[in-house]
Amino acid sequence: LHELMRERLSALSGETRDLLAAAAALAAPTTSLLEAATRAAPTALRTAIDAGVLSLDGERLRFTHPLLRSAAVAMLLPAERRALHGRLKTVVSDPEERARQLALSVDGPHPAVAGSLDEAARLASLRGASHAAAELCELALRLTPPEATDDAHYRRLRAARHSWEAGDADRARDLGEEAVAAAPPGPPRARALLQLAALLTFQADVRAANALERQALKQAGDELDIRAAAHGELAVNLFLLRESLAEAEEHAR
């Protein structure tokens, strides 16, 4: 099916394919953005619409099928794709979209770009766009240098939290387990254990959550906020299980 989509796009002119690739790389493509990014002639856009690949709603453009959008990007070589994102970052005004385009324009670890993605994820979270925040956190994680273990830990936990908020509990759990495995012993691992335990409680795996909370207590050291959170979660979960109310009360106190 992907090959059929590629054949359909290959029948269009190179200028039209360039325009379609730019549209596919943008989160919210518009005619004005495409004009600024590609300088394509108006006939290229008209050709894409007449061919049934794009539809126009005011200024906003949409692909008539998601596979056509995927094919438009898949036809580019990796270097061409990075160059495209490099051009797009100069024409978009939204800070989240600019950070995303910037991230996709670089190859390999890049601390400054990862920092920009952190801020973009924060803005996305503030407006309730948890899915976008999770994507931006994972992009930041991908661009984090191997030696920046603290930054990687922080970004992995944020990506897990935003994935959970966005409704993707499976991805959140994968990221949470990765965070626990990668965290150094002590408070960093304890925080990761507690975040993963909260997700397991939400998924009704209370016994597994309790085991992680007990591990967090052992790893917390003198960090009172972590110890308090672990005791509190254990108190609630033990109460839910109704197996040891005396121990639940002890943790609550």
Side-chain angles (χ1 to χ4, degrees), residues 94-148:
D94 180 77
E96 294 170 32
E97 177 71 351
R98 188 183 305 114
R100 179 175 167 274
Q101 296 295 341
L102 181 60
L104 295 171
S105 70
V106 298
D107 184 23
H110 200 300
V113 176
S116 298
L117 288 163
D118 283 339
E119 176 61 15
R122 186 185 71 83
L123 293 174
S125 178
L126 285 175
R127 65 181 179 86
S130 299
H131 180 79
E135 179 194 12
L136 291 164
C137 284
E138 290 213 49
L139 283 172
L141 180 61
R142 181 174 64 82
L143 297 180
T144 304
E147 65 274 11

Side-chain angles (χ1 to χ4, degrees), residues 165-217:
E165 292 167 351
D168 191 351
D170 289 340
R171 182 58 183 154
R173 185 165 181 166
D174 288 344
L175 287 164
E177 290 172 350
E178 289 173 15
V180 170
R189 183 173 296 172
R191 292 186 192 281
L193 285 164
L194 283 180
Q195 183 165 311
L196 180 57
L199 175 58
L200 294 182
T201 299
F202 176 77
Q203 294 182 317
D205 196 351
V206 178
R207 294 184 194 281
N210 283 4
L212 295 183
E213 288 151 4
R214 294 183 193 280
Q215 290 180 48
L217 271 177

Side-chain angles (χ1 to χ4, degrees), residues 5 13 16 39 68 78 87 104 107 124 130 132 152 231 242:
M5 295 295 178
S13 69
T16 301
R39 306 199 185 283
L68 286 169
R87 292 199 308 274
L104 295 171
D107 184 23
S130 299
H231 281 302
R242 299 292 201 280

Side-chain angles (χ1 to χ4, degrees), residues 212-231:
L212 295 183
E213 288 151 4
R214 294 183 193 280
Q215 290 180 48
L217 271 177
K218 294 178 181 178
Q219 296 283 335
D222 296 329
E223 295 287 336
L224 295 183
D225 61 328
I226 301 176
R227 297 186 65 81
H231 281 302

Side-chain angles (χ1 to χ4, degrees), residues 4-88:
L4 288 171
M5 295 295 178
R6 288 171 62 88
E7 288 180 10
R8 181 172 173 185
L9 296 186
S10 295
L12 302 173
S13 69
E15 188 178 42
T16 301
R17 291 199 303 272
D18 290 344
L19 181 140
L20 289 172
L26 288 164
T30 64
T31 55
S32 56
L33 278 177
L34 291 183
E35 287 172 6
T38 66
R39 306 199 185 283
T43 53
L45 177 57
R46 173 51 57 191
T47 298
I49 294 172
D50 290 344
V53 179
L54 290 178
S55 64
L56 181 62
D57 181 10
E59 272 269 305
R60 182 75 182 267
L61 290 160
R62 292 182 176 85
F63 280 83
T64 57
H65 196 282
L67 285 179
L68 286 169
R69 182 173 192 160
S70 299
V73 174
M75 294 177 74
L76 297 175
L77 296 173
E80 293 173 330
R81 196 174 303 144
R82 289 194 297 272
L84 171 61
H85 290 297
R87 292 199 308 274
L88 293 176

